[in-house]
Amino acid sequence: MAKVSLKNVYKRYEGGFVAVSDFNLEIEDKEFIILVGPSGCGKSTTLRMVAGLEDITEGEIYIGDKLVNDVPPKDRDIAMVFQNYALYPHMTVFDNMAFGLKLRKIPKDEIKRRVEEAAKILEISHLLERKPKALSGGQRQRVALGRAIVRNPKVFLMDEPLSNLDAKLRVQMRVEITKLHQRLATTIIYVTHDQTEAMTMGTRIVVMKDGVVQQVDDPTKIYQHP
Ligand code: ADP
Ligand code: ADP
C-alpha cells in the first residue's frame, strides 16, 4: 500500500567499509521486489536501512511520500520477517502475534480480532494457545508472518524468510507468500540468494554485487539463458 524510494543511498560502516553504494530504486505500490546477489553484497544492509535498523550514511529513503531517514523503525509502517523467526519462546502463539500491537497500545478487542483474522488466513487458528517449541518449522514461520500481518503494515520486508526450512516446506511457503502478497495487496521487499524464489515470486528483481546495483528487471529478463 505504499511505494518505497531509495535515492543515492550509501552505507559506510564504522571502520570505513562501504556496504551499499549509490543505491537508486523506485519500488511501486504493491510491487513484490526481490533483492538477490552473493552473500555479503549488501542485501540485508539495504533492507535494514529501509526498516530503520541501520543508519543511512548518505542519501534518502521515502516510504510513500514521507522522508523516513530520521523516523524510528516503529513509526515506519513496515513489518519485518527474518529467517530465524525470532519468536518469544515463553509466549503462546497468540501472545507472540499480539506483542507488537500491545506495544503500540492497540485496544484488546481489536488485537484479538486482528490476531484471529491473521491466524485464519495462515491456517494456524488451532495453534494459538501453543508455545513455539510445540510447533513445526513451517508453523513457526507462519507465526512469524502472522506477527507481521497483524500490524497491517504498508510495506513488508522479508530477509531470507524461508532459508531455514526444508526443501518441501520452502516450495509450499513460496506459494503461500505469493498468495499473501495478492490477498493483502501490499508492497514486499524480499531478500534471497535462492534463484527459484527470485524467479517465481517477484514482480521485479534487483541484482546486487559488492554493494552496487547491477541490474533491475523482470525475472524472465534476469534469468534468460542463451
Ligand atoms: P548480504 O545481506 O548481501 O549478505 P550484508 O548487507 O549483510 O550482505 O553485508 C554487506 C557487507 O557489509 C558484508 O561485507 C558485511 O560483512 C558488511 N557488514 C554488515 N554489517 C556490518 C557491520 N555492522 N559492520 C561492518 N560491516 C558490516
Ligand atoms: P545475513 O547475511 O543473513 O544478514 P549476517 O550473519 O551476515 O546475516 O549478519 C548478522 C548480523 O551481523 C547483522 O545484523 C549484520 O549487520 C551484522 N554483521 C554482519 N557482518 C558484520 C561485520 N563484518 N561486522 C560487524 N557486524 C556484522
Side-chain angles (χ1 to χ4, degrees):
M1 288 172 274
K3 66 177 194 179
V4 177
S5 317
L6 296 97
K7 296 190 176 157
N8 308 108
V9 172
Y10 287 78
K11 177 65 189 184
R12 192 180 311 109
Y13 280 113
E14 261 175 70
F17 181 77
V18 178
V20 175
S21 185
D22 200 19
F23 194 112
N24 284 286
L25 186 66
E26 292 259 339
I27 300 166
E28 299 299 329
D29 187 28
K30 301 184 185 60
E31 250 202 288
F32 194 141
I33 198 123
I34 310 243
L35 303 187
V36 293
S39 183
C41 72
K43 307 183 293 296
S44 290
T45 299
T46 302
L47 207 66
R48 291 164 59 81
M49 286 193 288
V50 175
L53 299 172
E54 205 74 75
D55 286 338
I56 303 162
T57 307
E58 219 179 288
E60 290 162 352
I61 296 183
Y62 294 84
I63 297 178
D65 293 325
K66 189 175 174 188
L67 179 66
V68 295
N69 286 31
D70 296 320
V71 176
K74 70 173 176 47
D75 298 327
R76 284 196 184 194
D77 258 330
I78 51 114
M80 270 192 102
V81 183
F82 299 96
Q83 57 182 287
N84 52 4
Y85 327 124
L87 302 180
Y88 300 105
H90 59 288
M91 288 186 198
T92 63
V93 167
F94 184 98
D95 288 336
N96 263 285
M97 286 169 68
F99 188 75
L101 300 180
K102 283 186 185 158
L103 276 186
R104 288 170 177 80
K105 309 261 186 280
I106 309 275
K108 239 177 166 176
D109 52 345
E110 170 73 7
I111 292 179
K112 188 164 184 290
R113 195 187 63 72
R114 288 207 214 166
V115 169
E116 285 173 355
E117 189 187 326
K120 205 166 153 195
I121 292 172
L122 295 161
E123 297 176 5
I124 52 173
S125 302
H126 59 300
L127 304 174
L128 287 174
E129 295 312 315
R130 287 202 200 170
K131 299 270 178 71
K133 70 171 183 305
L135 302 175
S136 71
Q139 290 169 338
R140 280 180 208 162
Q141 193 57 61
R142 275 166 221 245
V143 177
L145 282 170
R147 206 164 52 172
I149 290 173
V150 294
R151 304 247 326 274
N152 295 333
K154 286 186 182 153
V155 181
F156 279 94
L157 306 178
M158 303 192 186
D159 194 347
E160 309 229 3
L162 308 186
S163 63
N164 282 343
L165 303 179
D166 66 43
K168 191 169 155 215
L169 211 53
R170 239 179 1 242
V171 174
Q172 191 185 336
M173 291 304 293
R174 224 158 58 204
V175 176
E176 304 218 353
I177 291 176
T178 311
K179 276 199 230 154
L180 205 61
H181 171 243
Q182 285 158 3
R183 174 156 183 178
L184 301 178
T186 183
T187 308
I188 299 184
I189 310 178
Y190 188 103
V191 164
T192 183
H193 59 251
D194 183 300
Q195 184 171 325
T196 315
E197 282 178 26
M199 270 174 61
T200 55
M201 297 171 82
T203 49
R204 271 197 306 165
I205 299 177
V206 177
V207 183
M208 293 182 74
K209 191 179 171 222
D210 298 333
V212 178
V213 173
Q214 306 283 310
Q215 197 180 353
V216 182
D217 220 328
D218 301 337
T220 49
K221 303 225 172 74
I222 301 270
Y223 293 111
Q224 204 171 51
H225 293 294

